[in-house]
Amino acid sequence: MQEAEIQALLEKVEKLLDVHEDLREQNKAMRNAEAAWQAERGKLIQQNEIARRKVAEMITRLQTLERNSG
């Protein structure tokens, strides 16, 4: 191999390593974002369940009031 070919190959390897590192950082950022979204999703599901229970309780109370006022 000629020196120029070796140098070109080394440059390509360095570029690949740079791309690899960029992709690793992007992947890490995406995983962190996904974890945050999953946590937010869990919180929203919990809040939705609480709201659903409160609405069901209010409906039950209203039905009871309606029956009692009759």
Side-chain angles (χ1 to χ4, degrees):
M1 257 188 173
Q2 293 180 359
E3 185 67 29
E5 291 174 325
I6 291 173
Q7 187 61 36
L9 187 57
L10 285 173
E11 288 175 10
K12 288 181 181 179
V13 168
E14 284 184 25
K15 285 181 183 178
L16 283 173
L17 289 172
D18 288 343
V19 168
H20 171 72
E21 185 59 31
D22 288 345
L23 289 174
R24 282 179 52 126
E25 289 175 14
Q26 288 177 15
N27 190 11
K28 183 178 178 181
M30 289 172 65
R31 287 180 188 269
N32 289 339
E34 180 186 9
W37 294 335
Q38 290 292 339
E40 183 179 0
R41 181 179 183 270
K43 182 179 177 182
L44 291 172
I45 288 172
Q46 185 178 18
Q47 289 175 345
N48 189 30
E49 182 61 24
I50 290 168
R52 187 193 65 74
R53 285 186 198 148
K54 286 182 179 180
V55 168
E57 288 172 8
M58 286 192 306
I59 290 171
T60 301
R61 284 188 215 142
L62 288 171
Q63 288 172 340
T64 302
L65 283 173
E66 186 178 308
R67 273 186 256 131
N68 290 341
S69 67

